[in-house]
Amino acid sequence: MKKKKRLMMRSVILAIMLLAIVYTLYANFTKETRGQMAVGDKAPDFNLIDMNGNKHKLSDYKGKGVFLNFWGTWCKPCEREMPYMNNQYQVYKDQGVEILAVNVGEPEFAINKFVQKHGLDFPILKDTNKDVLNLYKIKPLPTTILIDSEGIMTAIESGELSEAKIKGMMESIKPR
């Protein structure tokens, strides 16, 4: 009787351990796609303050194309693409395309120093608590999301962008 009880208990423990292993594997293999933003989705709305104290609400840009860029001052690829973004902003800002560059969780001093160093003219938004970064489930930096004039995400690009790529992206979200 004791042997049978012990065997039953070991079987239950083994079954629980196997279920835990199967669940862990499932969770790890599907985490990349679970809950992630996808092209064709409506871009989640947000409110952020820029470096000049102005409020920016994504939904206020309906009717314009939005080049939404997540970045950090410590990120070398971010630093390399910023001048290209600024050049193309000069070309497209009067054609209905806006850049919203979201800095993720850095102090104003570091952001201001970076902006001055590169002479950036587009709005730099402060995501102090990384709320928007988490809302959009952004990894890694830089990541750029293109949003059309109807508020639909048309592209999600991770990594450094060339100036030619930025130009093509802005052209693709320019209102017709």
Side-chain angles (χ1 to χ4, degrees):
M1 187 68 168
K2 255 186 174 179
K3 279 187 176 181
K4 203 172 192 182
K5 213 175 191 179
R6 204 172 334 152
L7 180 64
M8 181 64 105
M9 189 57 105
R10 286 180 179 163
S11 296
V12 168
I13 291 171
L14 184 61
I16 290 170
M17 288 174 61
L18 280 172
L19 282 172
I21 291 169
V22 168
Y23 174 76
T24 302
L25 290 172
Y26 169 78
N28 281 329
F29 286 119
T30 61
K31 74 179 178 186
E32 293 299 315
T33 57
R34 221 175 332 124
Q36 216 171 28
M37 298 290 146
V39 169
D41 289 350
K42 180 113 176 110
D45 203 8
F46 61 82
N47 285 296
L48 288 175
I49 307 278
D50 69 18
M51 296 301 292
N52 300 319
N54 301 315
K55 293 180 182 173
H56 294 263
K57 184 175 182 180
L58 181 62
S59 57
D60 290 344
Y61 290 92
K62 189 167 170 73
K64 287 187 166 193
V66 177
F67 185 97
L68 180 62
N69 180 265
F70 292 86
W71 67 283
T73 60
W74 49 267
C75 165
K76 290 302 176 192
C78 302
E79 186 169 9
R80 288 189 295 266
E81 73 183 8
M82 284 288 177
Y84 303 147
M85 288 168 49
N86 204 57
N87 292 344
Q88 294 308 310
Y89 179 67
Q90 302 309 319
V91 173
Y92 286 94
K93 68 181 179 183
D94 296 327
Q95 298 180 46
V97 176
E98 189 64 62
I99 289 181
L100 298 177
V102 178
N103 178 275
V104 290
E106 293 187 274
E108 280 195 36
F109 174 78
I111 301 169
N112 275 325
K113 191 174 170 188
F114 185 94
V115 169
Q116 288 171 0
K117 177 181 175 183
H118 296 286
L120 305 177
D121 298 323
F122 47 81
I124 304 292
L125 311 184
K126 300 179 292 181
D127 189 11
T128 310
N129 299 321
K130 301 182 181 179
D131 294 334
V132 178
L133 178 86
N134 293 328
L135 175 67
Y136 278 80
K137 297 173 179 57
I138 298 299
K139 291 178 191 159
L141 295 182
T143 292
T144 301
I145 299 175
L146 298 184
I147 303 168
D148 71 12
S149 59
E150 296 302 312
I152 304 299
M153 294 185 287
T154 61
I156 301 171
E157 292 279 337
S158 293
E160 185 178 344
L161 301 171
S162 67
E163 188 157 8
K165 177 85 172 176
I166 292 169
K167 178 180 174 43
M169 292 169 87
M170 291 194 166
E171 192 64 39
S172 77
I173 55 172
K174 182 171 76 172
R176 307 285 174 225

